[in-house]
Amino acid sequence: MSDFLWGVSTSAFQIEGAFDAGGRGPSVWDEFTPIRDDDNASVACDHYNRWREDVALMTQLGVNAYRFSIAWPRIQPSGKGPVNAEGLDFYDRLVDALVDVGIAPVVTLYHWDTPLELEAEGGWLNRDIADRFADYTALVANRLADRVKLWIPINEPAMVTLQGYAIGEHAPGKALLFDALPTAHHLNLAHGRAVEVLRSFNAQAVGTANNHTPAWPATPNDVAAAEAYSEIHNWLYADPVLSGRYPDAVADLLPIQDGDLQVIHQPLDFYGVNYYNPTRLKSPSEGNPLPFELVEIDEYPLTNFGWPVVPSGLSEIITTLRERHPNLPPVYVTESGCSFPHEVEDTERIAYLDGHLKAALEAGVDGYFVWSLLDNFEWESGYSQRFGLVHVDFETQRRTPRDSFHWYRKVISGE
Ligand code: BGC
């Protein structure tokens, strides 16, 4: 267990705030969120100014790894062109501070905050974004590759395609249904291009952070519906990256060019799984253009978000991944957590994390990252859903470790 990574995860847009400081350019999420009046992320956890306090919290917690994301619009305000030195300096200082206290930096290069100017050119619908992403990766790797332990090019491409472009509940708010599929291929291509670039800078370890869900048929008659859902949520991303092929049902709908699959399919040092809950599916009702319909899972406890608490779903999806991809590299659970509102006494979160950590250990993973260190800006739900081991008072920015923080500290230290 000595090499086991005990971590916490965050993302830039959800915690940093300081949306116009240090030369940062606007992202798709800055444009998307003002719709919600004052429930936007212009301040969030003010981590851009309070990062030292947050590193101190992690030292107190005893984690040996911290997964955070770099805001592309801080590095290249318009998504292309020369580096914004102030942006890179910010992450350089953070990485140094982490290394100083023995916390391994785990960097996600893209956690959904596409520079707005790139979106104007089509965003992930435009194949060129993979080249832009490779350029951006090189700028970051050139500065940080000597100290970053793990690299994750893209967080949860499935959610970008599904929530951002297919149904539009996330930025950039497009509801294209199946016409969103090219974004999946471009996200995969950008992953592959970034892996090439990171290798050229001798990155220590490169992997993924894919969102996975076991897809459960509601009845034996709904197996095809569950498989159809699993293809677009799980396999559209895992299959090409791990085995160089797309699921048959979607392959013809993707703008694949010669050589793309070789770029996408490169050896990885680890495979990151973000897991929250399983999904239950049934065959579509009449008039539904999709090949499946979601059904509520109501026989398990629910989080404040209404998500079912099913720890065995985590071991189930890891087993399924290993069966489907026998070459699966070591697995890290790169996100696992739940939303509960209590300021300090969060017994439900402790139960959630305890169950999921046990399932992860039983599945033989090499690391576990709790989502999240802090309460933060929870995308379309604003500040209404709290995922932190640390409570944040968004009026005063006061941080208060919850009971789950102390619980995790004891688990890590073996007390
Ligand atoms: C995302 C996080 C998000 C969490 C909870 C994950 O899919 O990567 O950014 O906060 O889910 O919704």
Short mmCIF file of all heavy atoms in Angstrom, two decimals, residues 144-165:
data_model
loop_
_atom_site.label_atom_id
_atom_site.label_comp_id
_atom_site.label_asym_id
_atom_site.label_seq_id
_atom_site.Cartn_x
_atom_site.Cartn_y
_atom_site.Cartn_z
N LEU A 144 5.86 22.34 -16.52
CA LEU A 144 5.53 21.57 -15.32
C LEU A 144 5.91 20.09 -15.37
O LEU A 144 5.83 19.39 -14.36
CB LEU A 144 4.02 21.67 -15.02
CG LEU A 144 3.42 23.07 -14.84
CD1 LEU A 144 1.94 22.95 -14.48
CD2 LEU A 144 4.15 23.86 -13.77
N ALA A 145 6.33 19.61 -16.53
CA ALA A 145 6.53 18.14 -16.66
C ALA A 145 7.57 17.60 -15.68
O ALA A 145 7.53 16.43 -15.32
CB ALA A 145 6.92 17.78 -18.09
N ASP A 146 8.47 18.45 -15.24
CA ASP A 146 9.51 17.95 -14.32
C ASP A 146 8.96 17.61 -12.94
O ASP A 146 9.58 16.88 -12.19
CB ASP A 146 10.65 18.98 -14.21
CG ASP A 146 10.16 20.35 -13.76
OD1 ASP A 146 8.96 20.66 -13.96
OD2 ASP A 146 10.96 21.12 -13.19
N ARG A 147 7.77 18.15 -12.60
CA ARG A 147 7.27 17.94 -11.22
C ARG A 147 5.91 17.26 -11.13
O ARG A 147 5.52 16.82 -10.04
CB ARG A 147 7.19 19.30 -10.50
CG ARG A 147 8.55 19.85 -10.08
CD ARG A 147 8.52 21.35 -9.95
NE ARG A 147 8.38 21.96 -11.27
CZ ARG A 147 7.87 23.15 -11.50
NH1 ARG A 147 7.46 23.91 -10.51
NH2 ARG A 147 7.77 23.63 -12.74
N VAL A 148 5.17 17.21 -12.21
CA VAL A 148 3.82 16.62 -12.14
C VAL A 148 3.91 15.10 -12.17
O VAL A 148 4.61 14.53 -13.00
CB VAL A 148 2.95 17.15 -13.31
CG1 VAL A 148 1.67 16.35 -13.45
CG2 VAL A 148 2.65 18.63 -13.10
N LYS A 149 3.18 14.46 -11.26
CA LYS A 149 3.28 12.98 -11.17
C LYS A 149 2.38 12.29 -12.19
O LYS A 149 2.79 11.37 -12.88
CB LYS A 149 2.90 12.53 -9.76
CG LYS A 149 3.08 11.03 -9.57
CD LYS A 149 2.95 10.62 -8.12
CE LYS A 149 3.05 9.12 -7.93
NZ LYS A 149 4.42 8.63 -7.85
N LEU A 150 1.12 12.74 -12.26
CA LEU A 150 0.18 12.13 -13.21
C LEU A 150 -0.44 13.22 -14.08
O LEU A 150 -0.79 14.29 -13.56
CB LEU A 150 -0.97 11.41 -12.49
CG LEU A 150 -0.68 10.36 -11.41
CD1 LEU A 150 -2.00 9.80 -10.89
CD2 LEU A 150 0.19 9.24 -11.94
N TRP A 151 -0.62 12.90 -15.35
CA TRP A 151 -1.28 13.82 -16.28
C TRP A 151 -2.58 13.20 -16.79
O TRP A 151 -2.59 12.04 -17.20
CB TRP A 151 -0.39 14.09 -17.49
CG TRP A 151 0.84 14.89 -17.18
CD1 TRP A 151 2.06 14.40 -16.81
CD2 TRP A 151 0.98 16.31 -17.25
NE1 TRP A 151 2.95 15.44 -16.65
CE2 TRP A 151 2.32 16.62 -16.92
CE3 TRP A 151 0.11 17.37 -17.58
CZ2 TRP A 151 2.81 17.93 -16.88
CZ3 TRP A 151 0.59 18.67 -17.55
CH2 TRP A 151 1.92 18.94 -17.20
N ILE A 152 -3.62 14.01 -16.78
CA ILE A 152 -4.92 13.60 -17.32
C ILE A 152 -5.29 14.65 -18.37
O ILE A 152 -5.60 15.79 -18.01
CB ILE A 152 -5.98 13.57 -16.19
CG1 ILE A 152 -5.61 12.47 -15.19
CG2 ILE A 152 -7.37 13.39 -16.77
CD1 ILE A 152 -6.32 12.58 -13.86
N PRO A 153 -5.22 14.31 -19.65
CA PRO A 153 -5.53 15.35 -20.64
C PRO A 153 -6.95 15.91 -20.50
O PRO A 153 -7.13 17.12 -20.40
CB PRO A 153 -5.31 14.64 -21.98
CG PRO A 153 -4.28 13.58 -21.67
CD PRO A 153 -4.62 13.11 -20.28
N ILE A 154 -7.96 15.03 -20.48
CA ILE A 154 -9.34 15.54 -20.56
C ILE A 154 -10.21 14.88 -19.50
O ILE A 154 -10.23 13.65 -19.38
CB ILE A 154 -9.91 15.26 -21.97
CG1 ILE A 154 -9.14 16.12 -22.97
CG2 ILE A 154 -11.41 15.56 -22.03
CD1 ILE A 154 -9.55 15.97 -24.39
N ASN A 155 -10.91 15.69 -18.71
CA ASN A 155 -11.83 15.14 -17.73
C ASN A 155 -13.17 14.80 -18.37
O ASN A 155 -13.82 15.68 -18.97
CB ASN A 155 -12.09 16.17 -16.62
CG ASN A 155 -13.09 15.63 -15.60
OD1 ASN A 155 -12.79 14.71 -14.85
ND2 ASN A 155 -14.31 16.18 -15.59
N GLU A 156 -13.56 13.55 -18.25
CA GLU A 156 -14.90 13.11 -18.62
C GLU A 156 -15.38 13.63 -19.97
O GLU A 156 -16.34 14.41 -20.05
CB GLU A 156 -15.92 13.52 -17.54
CG GLU A 156 -15.62 12.93 -16.20
CD GLU A 156 -16.74 13.16 -15.18
OE1 GLU A 156 -17.68 13.92 -15.49
OE2 GLU A 156 -16.67 12.58 -14.10
N PRO A 157 -14.74 13.20 -21.06
CA PRO A 157 -15.23 13.63 -22.37
C PRO A 157 -16.71 13.28 -22.58
O PRO A 157 -17.44 14.02 -23.26
CB PRO A 157 -14.33 12.88 -23.36
CG PRO A 157 -13.68 11.78 -22.55
CD PRO A 157 -13.58 12.29 -21.16
N ALA A 158 -17.17 12.20 -21.95
CA ALA A 158 -18.58 11.80 -22.13
C ALA A 158 -19.53 12.92 -21.71
O ALA A 158 -20.56 13.17 -22.34
CB ALA A 158 -18.87 10.54 -21.32
N MET A 159 -19.17 13.61 -20.61
CA MET A 159 -20.07 14.65 -20.12
C MET A 159 -20.04 15.88 -21.01
O MET A 159 -21.03 16.60 -21.15
CB MET A 159 -19.68 15.04 -18.68
CG MET A 159 -19.87 13.93 -17.70
SD MET A 159 -21.59 13.32 -17.73
CE MET A 159 -21.33 11.64 -18.12
N VAL A 160 -18.88 16.14 -21.63
CA VAL A 160 -18.80 17.28 -22.55
C VAL A 160 -19.75 17.03 -23.72
O VAL A 160 -20.56 17.90 -24.08
CB VAL A 160 -17.35 17.48 -23.05
CG1 VAL A 160 -17.28 18.64 -24.03
CG2 VAL A 160 -16.40 17.69 -21.88
N THR A 161 -19.67 15.83 -24.27
CA THR A 161 -20.54 15.52 -25.41
C THR A 161 -22.01 15.48 -24.98
O THR A 161 -22.86 16.14 -25.60
CB THR A 161 -20.13 14.15 -26.02
OG1 THR A 161 -18.79 14.24 -26.48
CG2 THR A 161 -21.03 13.78 -27.19
N LEU A 162 -22.29 14.71 -23.93
CA LEU A 162 -23.69 14.48 -23.56
C LEU A 162 -24.35 15.74 -23.00
O LEU A 162 -25.40 16.19 -23.47
CB LEU A 162 -23.80 13.36 -22.52
CG LEU A 162 -23.50 11.94 -23.02
CD1 LEU A 162 -23.48 10.95 -21.86
CD2 LEU A 162 -24.55 11.50 -24.04
N GLN A 163 -23.72 16.31 -21.97
CA GLN A 163 -24.37 17.45 -21.30
C GLN A 163 -24.13 18.77 -22.02
O GLN A 163 -24.99 19.64 -22.00
CB GLN A 163 -23.88 17.54 -19.86
CG GLN A 163 -24.37 16.37 -19.01
CD GLN A 163 -23.82 16.44 -17.59
OE1 GLN A 163 -22.64 16.20 -17.37
NE2 GLN A 163 -24.66 16.80 -16.65
N GLY A 164 -22.95 18.91 -22.65
CA GLY A 164 -22.63 20.18 -23.29
C GLY A 164 -23.20 20.33 -24.68
O GLY A 164 -23.68 21.41 -25.05
N TYR A 165 -23.14 19.24 -25.47
CA TYR A 165 -23.52 19.36 -26.88
C TYR A 165 -24.77 18.57 -27.27
O TYR A 165 -25.42 18.91 -28.25
CB TYR A 165 -22.35 18.93 -27.78
CG TYR A 165 -21.20 19.91 -27.81
CD1 TYR A 165 -20.17 19.84 -26.87
CD2 TYR A 165 -21.14 20.92 -28.76
CE1 TYR A 165 -19.11 20.74 -26.88
CE2 TYR A 165 -20.08 21.83 -28.79
CZ TYR A 165 -19.07 21.72 -27.85
OH TYR A 165 -18.03 22.62 -27.88
#
